[in-house]
Structures are given as structure tokens and as C-alpha cells.
Amino acid sequence: AEANRNISTAQSNLDSATTNEARDAALTDLQHWRNNREEGESALNERLVNMHEAEALHPTAQYELKLAEEEYLKCKQETERILHEHCIKENNVTTCSDMDADLARYQIYVDTKAIAQLAEFASQGYENQILISDLLADDHLL
């Protein structure tokens, strides 16, 4: 709407221009606002296409999310079963002498903050990636 209003104003200025300088300025202004309107319409069309694509993909994404949530629950239940069978829980602390390293790894993998920090550290170079791999592979370090 603003571009159309400015196009109308620029056209009026062009129609009423009495000098070449005023006419050139009005033509430049008119072309600017026409380009602005075209860019806005193009951006709107692109957003509409993206929205329609997202709407089309929404059911698939919802289905995949449901499957992922179901898989997560299965993994969580299996983890709880294993912890119950092999570990001792005292004062809200779970200990499993033969599973301590695995529990430490598990805690790292489920802690999104820890994952983000490790990813940031790893992104700083190959040597850091090796250090993280070594850490996660070494039961004594964990």
C-alpha cells in the first residue's frame, strides 16, 4: 500500500514537473518505488510458496515427531529397566559400579547444555574433536 501511494505521488510529481531536472528526479523516484513494490510482491510470493510447502509437509513432520517421541519413550523405559536391574539408588544417587562410565556418558548425552558445550568446543578444531572422542571413550576419565 505504501509503495502504491509513493508511486502515485511520484507519478503526480512527474506529471507536474516543469524542468528536466524535476522530471529526472521524479522519474528516478517513480522507478525506485516501482522496484520497491516488485521486490515486496516477490518477497510475498516467496513467503506464500514457503508457507504452502510447510503446510504440505506438516502432517509428515507431525507423524515423524510422534514416531520420535514413541522411540524416546521406549529408550527411556529400557534405560530405567536396566538401571533398576543393575544399580542401587540411595539418597537420590544411582550407583552402578560396573556401569558408572556408561551412566556418565548417558548423562552427557541427555544434557542438552553439555552437548551444546561439547559441540562448541569441537567446532574449534580437529584436535578438540579428538579430545572429546578420547574423553567419551575413556571409562576412567568419565
Side-chain angles (χ1 to χ4, degrees):
E2 184 178 340
N4 287 333
R5 186 174 43 252
N6 290 328
I7 287 171
S8 189
T9 300
Q11 185 65 54
S12 254
N13 291 343
L14 179 61
D15 293 343
S16 64
T18 56
T19 67
N20 286 341
E21 186 176 284
R23 193 172 292 113
D24 289 345
L27 276 171
T28 300
D29 198 34
L30 180 61
Q31 190 57 47
H32 165 77
W33 289 111
R34 284 181 178 161
N35 290 343
N36 181 271
R37 180 179 60 189
E38 288 175 16
E39 289 170 2
E41 289 171 349
S42 176
L44 178 60
N45 287 334
E46 183 180 336
R47 287 186 186 109
L48 286 172
V49 167
N50 290 342
M51 183 184 76
H52 292 307
E53 288 175 0
E55 286 174 346
L57 294 174
H58 180 72
T60 302
Q62 287 294 93
Y63 176 72
E64 289 175 359
L65 176 62
K66 182 179 180 243
L67 290 178
E69 288 172 343
E70 289 171 357
E71 189 63 28
Y72 168 75
L73 286 175
K74 287 179 192 175
C75 291
K76 185 176 179 184
Q77 290 168 347
E78 179 66 9
T79 300
E80 289 171 357
R81 183 189 66 75
I82 290 171
L83 291 176
H84 180 72
E85 289 177 4
H86 299 281
C87 302
I88 301 168
K89 187 169 188 169
E90 295 176 358
N91 300 327
N92 268 347
V93 175
T94 303
T95 58
C96 307
S97 59
D98 60 337
M99 296 179 67
D100 284 343
D102 292 330
L103 284 173
R105 276 187 206 87
Y106 170 79
Q107 186 57 42
I108 290 169
Y109 293 142
V110 297
D111 183 344
T112 55
K113 186 176 180 182
I115 292 293
Q117 290 171 335
L118 287 173
E120 181 179 342
F121 183 73
S123 71
Q124 295 172 6
Y126 181 74
E127 294 81 14
N128 292 3
Q129 293 172 17
I130 297 299
L131 286 173
I132 291 171
S133 293
D134 291 348
L135 166 72
L136 294 176
D138 191 327
D139 290 355
H140 296 290
L141 288 174
L142 290 171

